Amino acid sequence: MNFDQTETQKMIAESIRDFAKQHIAPFMMDWDEKQTFPVELFHKLGEMGFMGVFVPEEYGGSGLGYHEYITVIEEISKVDSSIGLSVAAHNSLCTGHICYFGNEEQKAKWLPKLASGEWIGAWGLTEHNTGSDAGGMNTTAKKEGDYYILNGAKNFITHAISGNVAVVMARTGEKGDSHGMSAFVIEKGTPGFTSGKKENKLGMRASETAELIFDNCKIPKENLLGLEGDGFIQALKVLDGGRISIGALALGISKGSYEAALKYAKERVQFGKPISSFQGISFKLADMATEIEASELLLHKAASMKNKNQPMTKIGAMAKMYASEACVKIANEAVQIHGGYGYTKDYPVEKFYRDSKLCTIGEGTTEIQKVVIARKILE
């Protein structure tokens, strides 16, 4: 592997740092307190090419790969991981699903609006009673002539209220049958398609999370992605890339937490010298730095395999699991190094600490990643 950062990655990182300094950092705590989803910010990110990272240039996207994508999510998340989460969900889930499995007509219809940031995308798999057990979903899609009629609900959906379009998995066959589910694209404003309760969350509060509700929602058969019955298989492939997304999000939180802790440890003086000079603190920083390096290496290995279309389910799960668990530990240690100040909102580590926990849950819990890894190594 080539460990050198490309000129494109360097340019992306610099561009995001400048953008975040002007458009994110001054407002992020207000967004966090009020659970504000800053829609206009995502339109601006779209203008910069960060809402269609994988989308081919012919559909208005940036046409980049997963190494660049990690840089995008990581750099945004070093400042505000809520915004990083929303950019990740938009790119890898909704937009990615259409990009990978849509036909030419579907791609031409939806990708330009998503890639430009004009439209914001949502993706619906999880339900109230089917989290990790997605195969047991209750939302149904019954074909009637040239339409499918959807009934049911999805929860914990990013951009459920503000999203302009959603890719939704629904059951078209028997419950539990991996070929009994299909994927549909549904535009906001479709009769019978509404949003429900917005979740009041511990962290990631500027990233909108709510329900999607379908009440005799009538969808043209042209909105079916791929073949009927392929939805769950498609979703699993989308989640392979999604694991890199959450890993990159975790890496950004880890780096943001570490950099804040390192700065504070050098500046904070106790007993006549900086606390960084004490072994108890320096060893914490050493562990944090090492876990960041390990997370980054795993993620870029997964990215390399994904770019080459190689099977990367195992490595993707390993990268997501390790990076997310590491980021919770790193954020925790960052708060500890700050002492009492780390428990206040005057320093960024308090927010990183709250945001970090989502990474071990979203797009497959740590326990599910272990199931995936175990199955692969025992095949």
Side-chain angles (χ1 to χ4, degrees):
M1 284 179 68
N2 183 355
F3 298 103
D4 295 332
Q5 197 175 42
T6 65
E7 288 303 314
T8 302
Q9 286 172 273
K10 290 176 184 176
M11 187 173 67
I12 288 170
E14 187 177 341
S15 174
I16 289 173
R17 286 184 203 123
D18 291 342
F19 179 87
K21 187 175 181 180
Q22 181 180 353
H23 297 288
I24 298 177
F27 314 107
M28 65 181 199
M29 290 311 294
D30 185 58
W31 295 337
D32 183 78
E33 292 284 341
K34 297 176 182 176
Q35 289 208 102
T36 301
F37 179 63
V39 175
E40 286 303 316
L41 180 76
F42 295 92
H43 298 327
K44 292 176 184 174
L45 284 165
E47 291 168 9
M48 296 175 71
F50 298 140
M51 297 294 275
V53 178
F54 310 120
V55 177
E57 293 179 17
E58 64 191 278
Y59 301 114
S62 299
L64 298 172
Y66 270 83
H67 294 297
E68 293 81 10
Y69 178 61
I70 288 171
T71 302
V72 170
I73 303 304
E74 171 197 331
E75 289 294 336
I76 294 173
S77 303
K78 280 166 68 174
V79 180
D80 187 348
S81 34
S82 293
I83 304 304
L85 173 62
S86 277
V87 173
H90 173 93
N91 271 284
S92 75
L93 298 180
C94 178
T95 306
H97 200 139
I98 296 170
C99 193
Y100 295 134
F101 299 105
N103 58 38
E104 287 304 312
E105 185 180 340
Q106 291 168 335
K107 290 177 183 179
K109 182 177 182 179
W110 290 301
L111 289 182
K113 291 180 179 179
L114 289 164
S116 68
E118 178 188 347
W119 278 18
I120 292 171
W123 192 77
L125 178 64
T126 300
E127 299 184 1
H128 293 273
N129 296 314
T130 58
S132 298
D133 180 21
M137 68 174 61
N138 293 312
T139 299
T140 58
K142 294 185 178 179
K143 194 171 184 183
E144 294 184 6
D146 291 336
Y147 293 87
Y148 284 89
I149 311 299
L150 265 70
N151 281 288
K154 302 288 180 178
N155 76 326
F156 295 138
I157 307 304
T158 307
H159 312 146
I161 297 169
S162 300
N164 304 91
V165 64
V167 174
V168 175
M169 271 51 68
R171 189 158 52 79
T172 48
E174 294 301 314
K175 186 179 286 192
D177 179 5
S178 61
H179 293 281
M181 289 161 273
S182 303
F184 302 89
V185 183
I186 311 172
E187 293 185 17
K188 191 173 186 177
T190 301
F193 178 32
T194 56
S195 303
K197 180 174 76 80
K198 183 176 180 178
E199 303 295 342
N200 187 6
K201 300 178 294 183
L202 168 71
M204 302 289 189
R205 290 169 61 82
S207 180
E208 176 186 278
T209 307
E211 293 176 307
L212 292 176
I213 299 169
F214 309 96
D215 182 9
N216 290 320
C217 180
K218 193 175 182 181
I219 305 164
K221 65 179 182 182
E222 291 78 21
N223 289 28
L224 173 70
L225 284 171
L227 300 174
E228 184 175 302
D230 282 355
F232 188 62
I233 307 302
Q234 292 174 7
L236 292 179
K237 291 178 181 176
V238 169
L239 287 171
D240 271 350
R243 290 177 185 132
I244 295 176
S245 294
I246 300 299
L249 178 68
L251 181 63
I253 294 172
S254 293
K255 287 190 174 182
S257 300
Y258 167 73
E259 289 169 11
L262 182 64
K263 181 176 182 288
Y264 184 83
K266 288 178 176 178
E267 295 172 351
R268 175 68 166 169
V269 174
Q270 293 286 273
F271 306 103
K273 49 187 175 181
I275 62 172
S276 59
S277 66
F278 297 113
Q279 192 178 76
I281 300 298
S282 66
F283 277 17
K284 287 182 186 294
L285 293 167
D287 285 341
M288 294 159 81
T290 303
E291 290 181 326
I292 286 170
E293 290 289 337
S295 299
E296 196 157 28
L297 287 169
L298 269 171
L299 279 166
H300 281 286
K301 180 172 183 180
S304 179
M305 295 173 76
K306 182 71 173 170
N307 283 343
K308 295 172 185 174
N309 290 318
Q310 295 175 342
M312 45 71 67
T313 300
K314 181 184 74 174
I315 293 298
M318 286 177 170
K320 194 271 186 190
M321 179 182 76
Y322 186 88
S324 62
E325 289 293 338
C327 100
V328 173
K329 290 192 285 182
I330 290 167
N332 178 54
E333 290 289 40
V335 171
Q336 194 71 16
I337 288 170
H338 279 72
Y341 290 111
Y343 206 65
T344 72
K345 294 183 184 293
D346 297 327
Y347 289 83
V349 292
E350 175 270 344
K351 184 177 182 298
F352 284 131
Y353 183 55
R354 288 187 289 107
D355 288 352
S356 68
K357 191 56 194 166
L358 183 277
C359 296
T360 69
I361 300 169
E363 295 192 38
T365 62
T366 293
E367 292 73 22
I368 288 296
Q369 304 313 315
K370 289 182 180 180
V371 169
V372 171
I373 295 163
R375 282 177 181 166
K376 286 297 177 183
I377 62 178
L378 292 170
E379 281 180 351

